[in-house]
Amino acid sequence: MNLQTKAIHAGESPDLLTGASAPNLVMSTTFVTGADTTFSVEGLEENEGWIYTRWGNPTIHQLEEKLAALEEAETAVAFASGMGAIVALLFHLLRAGDHAVVSDVAYAALAELTNDMIPDLNIEISKVNTADLDAVQKALRPNTRLVYIETPCNPLLRLTDIAAVANIAHSAGAKLVVDSTFATSIATKPLLLGADFVIHSLTKYAGGHGDALGGAILGNKTDLVPLRKKTAIRLGGTISPFNAWLILRGLATLPLRMRAHQENAWTVAKYLENHPKVKRVIYPGLPSHPQYELAQRQMKNFSGILTFQVENGQEMARQLAEKLQIIHYAVSLGHHRSLIFYLNSSDLLKTSFKFSTQEQLDSWHQFAGEGIFRLSVGLEDAGDLIADLEQALNSQPQ
Ligand SMILES: *Cc1c(COP(=O)(O)O)cnc(C)c1O
């Protein structure tokens, strides 16, 4: 099956009892079983009959099957949020005395978690600009268990060469984790490039409509069957079947939506590049992106997120929040609605991203200057989005 057919049919089949063509939403937390069902997850086979929804649920299972099909992964484990998936994976892979190399710029909650809570468990973390392959190589130690990257990374849209970092990580016996939320499985399939685990925040493009939190880990059965038992079941970050059902429905149109997101983002990026008040636009689909060559090589779709810089960003943020009529001034991304948010560099460098070298700081400023607007271009008409930006950028500040 090709991608668009998989997006619609993978993980689904008509209901055996009723013939229902669309997936059922099974909200039941418990399932009637035979008397020989064991009570512990030890000895439990993957999805062998349903027992309790924290262990597995038919609707969540359908979501996991569709996610795995789209990513060309052996299997997937869904979680209540992207952060739920990330924490479960770190908890599964790392022990006291281990070392991990983590991208110095990544989703803020992950950055903060690895600044203090993980080191408090006696796990050493090196924050590295993973776009710099020498820096990744140099950060490796005999006890390095994993390398964690995000590409494009949130919020800079800086890219990391997945195949190259996979080679570096594996040569040191470490696993490679790729947070592929921004790229989606339509743009990039990190497992096929050598990664061991892929993370998606399903809250973003996968669900695509801004109405359900979710997350997933994708990879091999050898890794993920024990991970499900040890972390998903015991830590309890299970996704609600209702959210799984909404995301399952969102995934059916993921390939179509990503094509439209890319087209709209490219059109808006070109408009912003020519706007007199805009100093800089970063979008992986533009030749002006500092890593355009890698973007073309690694991404089949450039996704829908761009950043831009203006003079006095903080003031412009107030103006845009007040004047934008269609685009919502709000965090998050990947929805059918366009979303914009201002990220002030000095704030973020204090709270989330703590660099140890001048090169790291320089790379931040190369991509973000004093601050960036992160614009998640939605599926509205591109002309309407441009008109909205035009009136808001040019209106007089209050
Ligand atoms: C949003 C996001 C997360 C966290 O996902 P939640 O579903 O909000 O917990 C992780 N990584 C990236 C790149 C994200 O954009």
Side-chain angles (χ1 to χ4, degrees), residues 154-213:
N154 189 356
L156 294 185
L157 304 179
R158 191 176 66 195
L159 311 179
T160 291
D161 185 330
I162 298 169
V165 173
N167 281 334
I168 295 172
H170 293 159
S171 70
K175 303 262 191 192
L176 176 63
V177 179
V178 179
D179 182 333
S180 196
T181 298
F182 274 42
T184 79
S185 49
I186 306 307
T188 313
K189 293 190 177 32
L191 298 171
L192 305 185
L193 297 172
D196 300 284
F197 299 95
V198 169
I199 296 275
H200 285 290
S201 167
L202 306 177
T203 317
K204 314 295 171 51
Y205 286 109
H209 296 76
D211 51 15
L213 286 172

Side-chain angles (χ1 to χ4, degrees), residues 14-165:
D15 182 62
L16 288 177
L17 204 59
T18 62
S21 159
N24 286 329
L25 167 55
V26 179
M27 288 299 286
S28 189
T29 58
T30 193
F31 297 84
V32 176
T33 66
D36 49 4
T37 300
T38 55
F39 192 68
S40 167
V41 295
E42 292 301 338
L44 188 74
E45 290 303 315
E46 183 89 335
N47 298 311
E48 93 184 322
W50 311 108
I51 302 169
Y52 188 58
T53 282
R54 182 156 41 73
W55 301 1
N57 165 289
T59 307
I60 298 173
H61 181 61
Q62 288 187 298
L63 169 65
E64 291 171 340
E65 294 275 290
K66 197 186 286 289
L67 286 168
L70 289 174
E71 193 78 39
E72 295 181 45
E74 270 181 34
T75 191
V77 184
F79 289 84
S81 68
M83 280 311 298
I86 290 169
V87 169
L89 185 56
L90 295 180
F91 210 91
H92 182 67
L93 292 175
L94 296 172
R95 296 287 172 273
D98 288 348
H99 170 250
V101 175
V102 177
S103 173
D104 62 351
V105 179
Y107 186 68
L110 175 271
E112 291 160 18
L113 181 76
T114 48
N115 281 344
D116 45 43
M117 287 177 77
I118 300 283
D120 285 350
L121 300 172
N122 259 324
I123 294 160
E124 286 180 296
I125 303 285
S126 300
K127 297 282 184 103
V128 164
N129 171 4
T130 56
D132 177 349
L133 298 175
D134 285 342
V136 177
Q137 180 76 57
K138 285 198 188 106
L140 296 171
R141 301 179 192 168
N143 59 341
T144 306
R145 291 285 167 269
L146 84 94
V147 176
Y148 187 106
I149 66 173
E150 217 175 270
T151 181
C153 79
N154 189 356
L156 294 185
L157 304 179
R158 191 176 66 195
L159 311 179
T160 291
D161 185 330
I162 298 169
V165 173

